[in-house]
Amino acid sequence: GAVVSQHPSRVICKSGTSVKIECRSLDFQATTMFWYRQFPKQSLMLMATSNEGSKATYEQGVEKDKFLINHASLTLSTLTVTSAHPEDSSFYICSASPQGTDTQYFGPGTRLTVL
Amino acid sequence: GQSLEQPSEVTAVEGAIVQINCTYQTSGFYGLSWYQQHDGGAPTFLSYNALDGLEETGRFSSFLSRSDSYGYLLLQELQMKDSASYFCAVRKGGNMLTFGGGTRLMVKP
């Protein structure tokens, strides 16, 4: 149980284009999902908290107009990187907690490369 | 501010015991979690301490002292497959996690 999936696992795009990453909780419902970014050999940095049916809460320094988050259902959150630039190349990971529990389960991550 | 400190690298031999320490300074502390991450993979949950004391799960144990703002992860009977990065993370309100910088564990034969 408690499986979180992400799609795509890898994406390469040209600078200036937009990329959408999906995060799904496969066997549970999640009111809240989290989006992290991880650069090579570094820690996970929380970007935003995605709340079903309401606006996401962004961490300080994260541009909400650049990283669009939509949490349209209790099992799906999407992160769209708009007008991507090479410095946005990173490993993007989502996580979710089954309702009523404390443990966060992480998706397998999406490696974004912007050329 | 908030910060979590853990060693950047630890090396140990197969079969040994290794302890990875984590000190934290944060507001809104609910508990300390530990995650394992292999290169290119997602973090996987290992352990969570909300109260002081030791939690044991198989070869892995985790300890927390809230008064000292300190915790550790203990790995026993090390195996080669334990080579990975280990992160401590403070759980805050709203189930948010703040991660430490990670400790890269290398297990040698």
Side-chain angles (χ1 to χ4, degrees):
Chain A
V3 177
V4 177
S5 70
Q6 277 184 245
H7 177 79
S9 58
R10 290 179 178 270
V11 58
I12 301 173
C13 69
K14 293 182 178 180
S15 186
T17 60
S18 294
V19 175
K20 180 187 282 188
I21 302 169
E22 292 185 349
C23 176
R24 293 182 185 271
S25 55
L26 297 185
D27 50 2
F28 64 94
Q29 295 183 331
T31 307
T32 303
M33 293 183 174
F34 301 91
W35 286 97
Y36 296 83
R37 180 168 52 185
Q38 185 178 33
F39 292 106
K41 299 190 186 304
Q42 293 189 23
S43 186
L44 285 81
M45 299 301 296
L46 179 65
M47 298 175 66
T49 303
S50 172
N51 303 297
E52 187 268 337
S54 65
K55 291 183 179 180
T57 305
Y58 290 82
E59 294 300 297
Q60 193 171 12
V62 178
E63 300 174 56
K64 63 179 181 181
D65 294 330
K66 180 170 182 62
F67 298 99
L68 301 179
I69 290 173
N70 183 276
H71 194 152
S73 77
L74 288 172
T75 59
L76 173 63
S77 174
T78 61
L79 168 69
T80 301
V81 183
T82 63
S83 187
H85 291 284
E87 56 265 32
D88 298 323
S89 298
S90 187
F91 194 46
Y92 291 87
I93 311 174
C94 71
S95 72
S97 297
Q99 289 178 335
T101 71
D102 301 333
T103 303
Q104 281 193 30
Y105 294 91
F106 286 80
T110 297
R111 189 161 300 283
L112 170 64
T113 303
V114 184
L115 303 177
Chain B
Q2 46 196 359
S3 66
L4 290 89
E5 298 290 333
Q6 50 181 130
S8 58
E9 278 190 12
V10 173
T11 301
V13 296
E14 216 173 356
I17 300 173
V18 71
Q19 178 173 314
I20 300 173
N21 298 321
C22 174
T23 57
Y24 59 88
Q25 185 175 9
T26 184
S27 57
F29 178 86
Y30 279 66
L32 190 69
S33 297
W34 288 91
Y35 285 83
Q36 178 193 61
Q37 185 182 31
H38 286 96
D39 285 345
T44 55
F45 173 76
L46 293 178
S47 187
Y48 175 65
N49 295 69
L51 303 174
D52 286 359
L54 192 67
E55 292 282 342
E56 297 181 75
T57 309
R59 294 188 297 115
F60 296 172
S61 303
S62 59
F63 171 83
L64 174 66
S65 169
R66 294 174 71 122
S67 60
D68 295 323
S69 296
Y70 163 77
Y72 66 72
L73 178 70
L74 191 73
L75 297 86
Q76 303 182 69
E77 301 173 21
L78 281 176
Q79 301 175 10
M80 296 297 292
K81 67 179 183 179
D82 297 330
S83 293
S85 292
Y86 293 83
F87 294 90
C88 59
V90 165
R91 179 176 164 250
K92 302 170 65 178
N95 212 18
M96 290 174 59
L97 290 175
T98 299
F99 283 82
T103 299
R104 193 170 186 85
L105 171 64
M106 294 175 55
V107 180
K108 295 187 173 180

